[in-house]
């Protein structure tokens, strides 16, 4: 009986994901931001990160052998990204190399995800509410991934972002992990969104070359994503208005 109930639950969850992928992605992204706003539940954000990666990579398989192979590689990348994140979270910060797989896997995952998401937006003939929610979720996902990669860079090269206290105490004791420093991790994500929106408050600064280049890339990616998505959405609105006018 237990296995039957488990199978029903998995089937129901799969239908929910297939029917409302953009809505769930937006909800999970907002959940991460809420966790950063309230440090008492900050550790819950890592669970949301894992669910975001799994949701991004569990879409329906494509048609054809080549597309099917792409889907399999994409899903494998999502699993690797989740595993790399949790390895980084539970590893003591003095093991600096643990952030390298996370930075590489999540950078590839977000790049691939945004390409697929923009292709999905372009494939729709009309703008709908789920389409807009997916576009918003993609923007938030870009910022959250930038924050995750920046956190990994801070542990790879301590002092990359100043002033932060993420690694000083950890390197002194040698037994503190990132998951125990959720407040500082929230500050890095705040800085990532400051870069993404090109606001530039100046309260946190990238101090080392790798951190500076990552900040520059994030500042370029934000407006570029908005320009591409707005171009696609305006094209769909114009096409819908033109077809409606011609039918009249």
């Amino acid at each position: 009986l237990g296995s039957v109930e488990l199978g029903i639950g998995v089937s129901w969850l799969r239908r929910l994901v297939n029917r409302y992928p953009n809505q769930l992605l937006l909800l999970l992204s907002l959940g991460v931001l809420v966790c950063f706003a309230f440090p008492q539940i900050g550790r819950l954000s890592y669970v949301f990160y894992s669910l975001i990666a799994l949701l991004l990579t569990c879409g329906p398989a494509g048609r054809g052998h080549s597309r099917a192979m792409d889907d399999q590689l994409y899903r494998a990348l999502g699993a690797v990204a989740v595993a790399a994140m949790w390895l980084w979270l539970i590893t003591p910060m003095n093991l600096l190399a643990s952030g390298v797989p996370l930075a590489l896997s999540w950078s590839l995952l977000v790049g691939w995800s945004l390409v697929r998401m923009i292709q999905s937006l372009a494939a729709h003939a009309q703008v709908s509410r789920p389409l807009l929610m997916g576009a918003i979720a993609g923007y938030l996902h870009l910022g959250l991934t930038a924050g995750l990669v920046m956190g990994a860079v801070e542990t790879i090269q301590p002092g990359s972002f100043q002033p932060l206290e993420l690694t000083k105490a950890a390197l002194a004791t040698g037994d503190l992990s990132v998951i125990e420093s959720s407040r500082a991790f929230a500050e890095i994500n705040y800085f990532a969104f400051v870069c993404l929106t090109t606001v530039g408050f100046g309260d946190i600064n990238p101090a080392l070359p790798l951190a500076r280049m990552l900040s520059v890339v994030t500042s370029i990616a934000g407006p570029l994503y908005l320009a591409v998505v707005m171009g696609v959405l305006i094209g769909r609105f114009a096409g819908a208005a033109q077809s409606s006018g011609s039918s009249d």
Side-chain angles (χ1 to χ4, degrees):
L1 183 59
S3 60
V4 174
E5 293 178 349
L6 179 61
I8 294 175
V10 171
S11 178
W12 176 83
L13 182 61
R14 184 174 299 173
R15 288 198 301 268
L16 182 66
V17 169
N18 290 333
R19 188 171 182 179
Y20 304 106
N22 293 336
Q23 293 90 328
L24 291 175
L25 183 60
L26 179 59
L27 183 62
L28 291 174
S29 301
L30 293 175
V32 177
L33 296 179
V34 170
C35 292
F36 289 149
F38 299 96
Q40 300 85 349
I41 59 173
R43 297 182 181 182
L44 186 60
S45 62
Y46 309 128
V47 177
F48 286 130
Y49 268 110
S50 302
L51 294 176
I52 287 173
L54 295 176
L55 179 60
L56 284 172
T57 55
C58 69
R63 297 179 181 178
H65 178 71
S66 178
R67 184 63 182 273
M69 288 294 296
D70 288 345
D71 288 333
Q72 292 176 7
L73 290 174
Y74 183 61
R75 293 172 182 175
L77 178 60
V80 170
V82 172
M85 184 190 70
W86 282 100
L87 176 64
W88 174 68
L89 289 173
I90 64 178
T91 300
M93 287 188 186
N94 57 354
L95 299 179
L96 304 180
S98 65
V100 175
L102 179 140
L104 293 177
S105 61
W106 277 85
S107 298
L108 290 174
L109 178 64
V110 69
W112 200 343
S113 299
L114 292 180
V115 169
R116 291 168 64 103
M117 188 173 296
I118 292 173
Q119 289 176 341
S120 176
L121 293 175
H124 287 77
Q126 295 182 348
V127 177
S128 61
R129 183 180 301 176
L131 198 67
L132 293 175
M133 296 178 74
I136 297 172
Y139 187 71
L140 295 179
H141 178 60
L142 181 60
L144 293 175
T145 302
L148 192 62
V149 174
M150 287 180 181
V153 169
E154 172 65 21
T155 56
I156 296 170
Q157 294 183 337
S160 293
F161 301 94
Q162 296 180 359
L164 282 178
E165 301 294 332
L166 180 60
T167 55
K168 291 181 181 179
L171 293 175
T173 60
D175 58 358
L176 184 64
S177 63
V178 177
I179 200 170
E180 297 169 310
S181 304
S182 56
R183 183 184 296 273
F185 184 53
E187 293 180 9
I188 289 183
N189 276 268
Y190 154 77
F191 173 73
F193 275 95
V194 168
C195 291
L196 185 73
T197 56
T198 65
V199 174
F201 290 121
D203 50 348
I204 299 176
N205 299 302
L208 298 181
L210 180 58
R212 290 173 178 173
M213 289 307 301
L214 183 57
S215 302
V216 169
V217 170
T218 305
S219 300
I220 294 174
L224 183 62
Y225 175 84
L226 291 178
V228 172
V229 170
M230 289 302 296
V232 172
L233 294 179
I234 291 174
R236 294 297 172 269
F237 272 121
Q242 184 177 3
S243 61
S244 176
S246 61
S247 63
D248 293 339

